[in-house]
Amino acid sequence: PKTDIVFLKVHKSASSTVMNILFRFGETHNLTFAFPQGGGFQLYYPHHFLARFVQGFSPLSPRRFNILCHHMRFLQPEVQKVVPSSAVYFSILRNPVQLMESSFVYYKGASAFSRVRSLEEFLSQPYRYYNPASGDRHYARNLMTFDFGFNPDGDVSPGRVQLMLRAIEASFDLLLISEYFDESMVLLKEMLCWDLDSVVSFPLNIRDSSTKSALPDSVVEKLKAWNRLDWEIYTHFNRTFWERIDRAIGRERMRREVRALRERRAELARACLQGRGSVAPKDIKDSSLRPLQHGGARILGYNLKQGLDRELERTCRRLVTPELQYSSLLYKKQFPPPDP
């Protein structure tokens, strides 16, 4: 199994679920994580990543970390200073239309969104609300482009787009697609030589469907145009994703693998969870399993069954522990506080 990994955690793209997979694998195999200084949760995002943002990094010592997976704005020469040269790089993408709808609800406090009631209103005259000079502009335009390190207000000419796509291809070994999450996990498992249980997960950091709204076609077209760079990234790598499946696995085997993954997830859900799955934040009984609530979104969580044996309880708890709590737990393990 490969143990040196860089995951670019793109916002609002099922990336918290992928992070849980990496946390569990790293914990099980006693790997080291490149944590933000002081145990924070982001690597000084939205600044471009610098090696010195990582706790325990020193330019004088050749210490390398196994897994880099916290939110960052990608800058490969700096990333290479903190992970081994053999590291596998991957990320995950999401359809920019749904991504922006999610971003609008989640980052309602962002300067571009704070004065509008709806996405339609924002898109009717975006430059009335959007300021390219504001520090949080990226939440409102080409968020994936920004996370990959590029300018979200950049030139959309075919030549520039090609340069950007080639740069991403040169840096990353695999780009997953969140709309095809299970197929993505099968590809990831193959690339990392991991077993099935290592990539099984329950969806984390997902919001209650009551805050989701269907978008009219006219808005969808405006969203694609406004997020043109993200749209170019997504359509290109959605195509290469399926080409890779055809080349490396084949559709028939992929169907079998996906079925096995879903069966294992259902089996774990039956063993671990109370009720039928995710529940509203107010219904989560164990406060340590309650995810952070942000913006206008209601983030769902889980209740574990009572009376599980110790080993199963541990497995189940790890599967449903929200990102911030899990990150803190692993940070304290890697950097134990001094004895009082």
Side-chain angles (χ1 to χ4, degrees):
K2 294 193 167 55
T3 53
D4 299 324
I5 293 159
V6 174
F7 171 54
L8 177 63
K9 187 175 185 289
V10 169
H11 286 76
K12 317 303 326 140
S13 302
S15 56
S16 295
T17 308
V18 178
M19 197 179 196
N20 175 272
I21 288 169
L22 295 174
F23 279 167
R24 285 174 8 233
F25 187 86
E27 186 182 24
T28 304
H29 295 83
N30 222 6
L31 305 177
T32 56
F33 289 89
F35 283 108
Q37 283 282 2
F41 302 112
Q42 302 195 341
L43 290 152
Y44 290 81
Y45 187 87
H47 299 286
H48 271 109
F49 176 79
L50 295 174
R52 62 183 169 81
F53 296 164
V54 172
Q55 177 83 41
F57 170 79
S58 155
L60 307 173
S61 89
R63 177 174 187 193
R64 295 282 196 269
F65 300 88
N66 299 114
I67 299 177
L68 174 61
C69 64
H70 286 73
H71 273 308
M72 63 170 160
R73 190 171 182 208
F74 190 65
L75 187 61
Q76 192 162 14
E78 289 290 316
V79 168
Q80 287 168 333
K81 294 176 185 176
V82 298
V83 294
S85 57
S86 60
V88 175
Y89 287 68
F90 78 99
S91 186
I92 187 163
L93 305 173
R94 183 182 183 186
N95 185 313
V97 174
Q98 279 74 47
L99 177 76
M100 187 158 175
E101 189 273 331
S102 177
S103 192
F104 180 77
V105 174
Y106 203 78
Y107 301 113
K108 192 70 187 78
S111 56
F113 295 150
S114 58
R115 293 181 293 133
V116 293
R117 285 187 305 276
S118 67
L119 209 42
E120 283 98 312
E121 189 182 339
F122 173 80
L123 290 162
S124 65
Q125 359 175 213
Y127 281 109
R128 185 176 164 194
Y129 309 106
Y130 176 83
N131 175 4
S134 78
D136 62 0
R137 76 193 194 284
H138 51 283
Y139 292 123
R141 187 175 204 188
N142 290 315
L143 182 49
M144 293 190 290
T145 301
F146 183 86
D147 286 355
F148 277 95
F150 302 101
N151 177 5
D153 297 300
D155 177 3
V156 297
S157 67
R160 294 295 300 205
V161 167
Q162 279 310 309
L163 280 174
M164 179 177 71
L165 296 176
R166 282 210 289 275
I168 295 171
E169 280 179 332
S171 299
F172 288 85
D173 300 290
L174 178 62
L175 285 159
L176 308 174
I177 303 288
S178 64
E179 284 81 8
Y180 303 105
F181 190 81
D182 292 342
E183 289 84 353
S184 291
M185 290 306 100
V186 172
L187 273 185
L188 187 65
K189 170 175 85 77
E190 294 285 304
M191 181 178 75
L192 298 175
C193 307
W194 289 7
D195 62 8
L196 181 69
D197 269 14
S198 297
V199 298
V200 173
S201 61
F202 297 146
L204 295 177
N205 206 28
I206 52 166
R207 65 191 167 114
D208 182 354
S209 56
S210 69
T211 61
K212 295 179 184 171
S213 51
L215 300 168
D217 291 349
S218 57
V219 173
V220 168
E221 289 313 311
K222 280 182 184 167
L223 274 172
K224 287 182 194 172
W226 177 248
N227 294 287
R228 175 70 190 280
L229 293 170
D230 272 11
W231 186 250
E232 295 284 357
I233 291 174
Y234 179 76
T235 50
H236 175 81
F237 288 106
N238 189 8
R239 193 180 68 247
T240 59
F241 176 84
W242 292 101
E243 287 169 0
R244 181 164 185 152
I245 286 173
D246 289 337
R247 196 174 61 243
I249 294 181
R251 300 282 170 116
E252 188 44 51
R253 187 175 143 223
M254 177 56 87
R255 273 192 286 274
R256 287 199 306 274
E257 295 266 0
V258 164
R259 195 179 314 122
L261 180 66
R262 287 174 181 166
E263 282 167 3
R264 182 64 180 135
R265 182 185 299 130
E267 191 182 322
L268 281 165
R270 284 193 298 272
C272 295
L273 304 178
Q274 280 183 32
R276 304 199 71 107
S278 52
V279 296
K282 64 176 176 40
D283 299 324
I284 300 168
K285 300 185 182 91
D286 181 341
S287 61
S288 71
L289 297 178
R290 194 171 293 136
L292 173 76
Q293 302 298 311
H294 199 85
R298 281 203 316 181
I299 306 300
L300 305 177
Y302 298 92
N303 285 317
L304 293 180
K305 281 186 175 166
Q306 301 296 299
L308 300 171
D309 73 62
R310 223 174 77 193
E311 194 54 37
L312 183 59
E313 206 271 347
R314 189 189 141 84
T315 299
C316 296
R317 180 168 287 275
R318 291 297 189 257
L319 279 161
V320 301
T321 299
E323 175 185 328
L324 304 191
Q325 288 93 311
Y326 207 158
S327 185
S328 295
L329 183 113
L330 293 173
Y331 178 81
K332 288 187 189 109
K333 213 167 149 180
Q334 191 166 310
F335 300 103
D339 290 331

